[in-house]
Amino acid sequence: MTRSSGTQRSIFGRCDDCGHLALVEGAASGEVYSRAGYYSRRDGGGAGYASYLAEREYREHKGGRLLDRIIAATGRTPASLLEVGSGFGFTRQAAADRRIPSVGVDVNPYAAQSALDLYGFRTFTGTLAQALDEEAIRPGAFDLVLHQFVLEHIPDPIAELSAVARALAPGGFAAAWIPSAEAVELEVFGAAYRSLRHDHLHLFSRRSIARAFRAAGLTLTISETDCSLHLLRGFLDDAELRALYASGRGPDLLALAHKEPS
C-alpha cells in the first residue's frame, strides 16, 4: 500500500499471515523525534503535533481515561508507572492524580524540559534500553510500563518489548496503545488512512502484537479496540460504533501483556 503526500511517498507491506503492516520505504529520519519543533508543527508526512501544549487539558483527561481502563482491565491500581515516550508529562500527571508514582523516558530533550517546567517531573532523555543500561531506572521495578502511541515509531518493537520485560516487576503489566492494522477505517479510506504516516514504522494486528509480546517473554492477556477520533461517526450511529470496536476493528488497539511472577 502506497501513500503519497506532496513529494513524500511511503510504502507499507502487509504480512499475509498475521496482518501486520510495516513501513518498507519512505520512513522519516529518526532525528525527527528529538527536535523541539516536533511538538509545534506537523510535517508533510504526518510526523509531529500541531498544537501539543494547547491540548494539555484534553491529553491529561485522555491519559486518565486510559489509566482507568487499564486499572479496570487488570483489576488493580499499579504501585508504579513507567511511561516510555512520556512527552510533556500529561499522562504522568493523570497518574499523580490517582496517587500512582511515575517515571518518564523520552528521546526529546525539549519534552523532558517541558515536563519539568509544567509539573516538576524529571524525565530520562534517551531510550528505554539506554535508561536500563545506564542504571537510570532499576530493572524489575515497575508494576506498569506504558507505551501510548509510541511503539509504532520504534524500528525494532521486539527489542523494545524485551527492554519492557526487563523493567517490569514479576506479575507486572505492559500496556501498548497503538494504531491497528485491522481497522475498518483502513478499508474505508485506503492509503488516506490517518495512521499511514512516514513516522509509523509498524501498524499491529492483534495477532502480531501477541507475537511481539511473546517473543519478548510476555503474555498477551487483553486486546481491545476503540477510537479517539470518530471519523466514521455520521456513517454509523453510536451503537454501531460500539459494536465495531467490540469486534476488534476499531482504529486504536490497546494490548495488555503480563510478566509471569517469579
Side-chain angles (χ1 to χ4, degrees):
M1 180 173 291
T2 302
R3 176 167 184 167
S4 297
S5 178
T7 60
Q8 296 186 7
R9 185 177 74 159
S10 299
I11 299 177
F12 291 82
R14 184 187 289 275
C15 174
D16 290 337
D17 180 43
C18 70
H20 187 85
L21 280 169
L23 182 57
V24 296
E25 183 179 319
S29 167
E31 296 177 357
V32 69
Y33 305 114
S34 60
R35 298 171 184 162
Y38 184 76
Y39 291 97
S40 59
R41 61 182 178 274
R42 193 182 297 276
D43 70 18
Y49 298 88
S51 55
Y52 190 70
L53 183 57
E55 297 172 347
R56 175 179 177 176
E57 183 176 351
Y58 159 76
R59 293 188 177 279
E60 286 182 3
H61 181 65
K62 181 181 177 183
R65 286 190 290 110
L66 176 58
L67 290 173
D68 290 342
R69 189 171 176 183
I70 293 169
I71 290 167
T74 60
R76 69 186 199 191
T77 299
S80 55
L81 166 68
L82 169 61
E83 186 180 13
V84 182
S86 52
F88 288 11
F90 299 142
T91 299
R92 292 181 66 190
Q93 179 57 41
D97 291 341
R98 289 155 178 78
R99 299 186 179 182
I100 303 169
S102 70
V103 170
V105 171
D106 202 292
V107 297
N108 191 299
Y110 175 73
Q113 184 61 50
S114 296
L116 184 62
D117 293 343
L118 289 171
Y119 302 110
F121 294 150
R122 297 195 177 277
T123 304
F124 177 84
T125 304
T127 67
L128 174 56
Q130 289 169 340
L132 287 162
D133 291 344
E134 296 175 22
E135 299 182 347
I137 62 174
R138 185 164 54 88
F142 297 94
D143 273 354
L144 175 64
V145 178
L146 172 63
H147 287 69
Q148 184 178 183
F149 292 111
V150 170
L151 194 61
E152 66 271 20
H153 298 274
I154 294 175
D156 189 342
I158 293 175
E160 180 72 9
L161 293 175
S162 297
V164 170
R166 289 172 59 195
L168 277 174
F173 282 88
W177 190 220
I178 44 183
S180 173
E182 299 177 88
V184 168
E185 286 185 9
L186 187 56
E187 297 176 11
V188 174
F189 298 107
Y193 176 45
R194 58 192 167 104
S195 287
L196 296 179
R197 300 170 16 178
H198 77 152
D199 60 335
H200 283 180
L201 308 183
H202 300 275
L203 272 68
F204 293 86
S205 67
R206 287 165 290 178
R207 180 178 293 184
S208 71
I209 191 62
R211 289 181 175 180
F213 276 129
R214 185 166 60 248
L218 301 168
T219 303
L220 183 71
T221 57
I222 296 166
S223 62
E224 55 189 41
T225 64
D226 206 332
C227 183
S228 60
L229 182 61
H230 298 282
L231 297 181
L232 296 181
R233 180 165 284 155
F235 300 96
L236 301 175
D237 63 28
D238 286 350
E240 290 170 323
L241 286 172
R242 286 194 298 271
L244 178 67
Y245 304 151
S247 75
R249 303 297 306 282
D252 303 328
L253 172 62
L254 176 61
L256 290 171
H258 188 235
K259 180 175 180 178
E260 295 299 322
S262 300

